[in-house]
Amino acid sequence: MSVAIVTGASRGLGRALARELAGRGWDLVLDARGAGPLKEAAAELGALGVRVVAVPGDVTAEGHRADLVAAARELGGLDLVVNNAGVLGAEPVPPLAVHPLAGLRLALEVNLVAPLGLVQEALPLLRASAAGAVLNISSDAAVVAYRGWGGYGASKAALDQLSAVLAVEEPGLRVWWADPGSMRTRMLAAAEPEEDLTGTPEPAAVAAALLRLLEEGRPSGRYTAAGLAGAGGATAGPEGGR
């Protein structure tokens, strides 16, 4: 049985990705800061007939990351780490001239440092897997200069580069960094509260596209959900949305 860790799994894209994985028979270790919503997500996914372990906590905490990997070890190993948890750093997104530096530090800590810390903790198990993989959730704000998205975009651009180097340094793993595109999530609503998100895709549709990376055994690289849903492959281009 394959085992995955999914961070930020209590709602939005993280929960949708976890649901897609559970539907494919994956056992799961789920992370989120809120214990209540995470427990609800775990109950929903466990009803699909897979083992689900909910580990509430903050991904910026070294001990919590160790607990996530320990839970995967108890399930028999680890085949996939999904670094989905993320923060904007400031809400709504501000221009750089007035961006709170504390918010930028937080975005870097959650969106960049924590994913690397989790991968470092998980590497022994991932290397032991027959098909170890890392999926880092990126953004087109990492490659396109959107007004107001400088702090968040900088953290995601750094995550992209980190992912690319990890792919070179760990050729036995598949490392994907993927732009999911704009989604109807709480994060996007908080970032741009005046935007009408009525026509924006739900996370469930995006999650199904991203999991083509697993189903098709795509090589390491940068992908977009839009490209995966169509005929596209790896791309460094600014498809999708924030």
Side-chain angles (χ1 to χ4, degrees):
M1 190 73 74
S2 298
V3 179
I5 293 174
V6 183
T7 67
S10 63
R11 56 184 172 86
L13 181 60
R15 187 163 178 167
L17 285 167
R19 188 182 302 112
E20 290 287 335
L21 287 166
R24 291 161 171 78
W26 283 65
D27 291 332
L28 300 169
V29 177
L30 306 182
D31 148 272
R33 286 176 293 178
L38 186 62
K39 183 178 179 180
E40 293 174 4
E44 173 200 340
L45 300 176
L48 297 177
V50 298
R51 296 177 296 171
V52 182
V53 180
V55 186
D58 190 331
V59 290
T60 66
E62 182 178 352
H64 175 60
R65 297 192 298 265
D67 289 344
L68 292 172
V69 175
R73 187 179 293 109
E74 287 294 315
L75 290 177
L78 181 61
D79 305 284
L80 173 66
V81 170
V82 180
N83 280 309
N84 166 75
V87 297
L88 292 167
E91 301 176 6
V93 288
L96 290 174
V98 294
H99 196 297
L101 296 185
L104 177 59
R105 292 188 188 98
L106 177 62
L108 290 168
E109 190 69 29
V110 176
N111 302 345
L112 177 66
V113 178
L116 176 58
L118 182 55
V119 168
Q120 289 176 337
E121 188 74 33
L123 268 178
L125 293 182
L126 290 172
R127 288 168 175 162
S129 169
V134 175
L135 172 57
N136 289 329
I137 301 302
S138 183
S139 167
D140 72 337
V143 295
V144 179
Y146 292 114
R147 186 181 301 275
W149 288 83
Y152 177 81
S155 72
K156 290 298 186 177
L159 181 64
D160 280 9
Q161 178 66 3
L162 183 149
S163 303
V165 173
L166 181 65
V168 172
E169 294 178 345
E170 296 290 334
L173 304 181
R174 287 170 297 166
V175 181
W176 305 303
W177 48 111
D179 164 21
S182 295
M183 296 174 291
R184 200 179 312 171
T185 62
R186 190 180 303 177
M187 175 180 279
L188 185 56
E192 299 179 333
E194 296 181 2
E195 288 293 313
D196 181 6
L197 303 183
T198 303
T200 308
E202 295 284 353
V206 175
L210 291 181
L211 284 193
R212 290 184 64 178
L213 293 166
L214 277 173
E215 294 169 346
E216 300 172 5
R218 296 288 185 106
S220 295
R222 189 180 199 278
Y223 293 84
T224 67
L228 289 164
T235 175
E239 298 181 34
R242 288 141 288 176

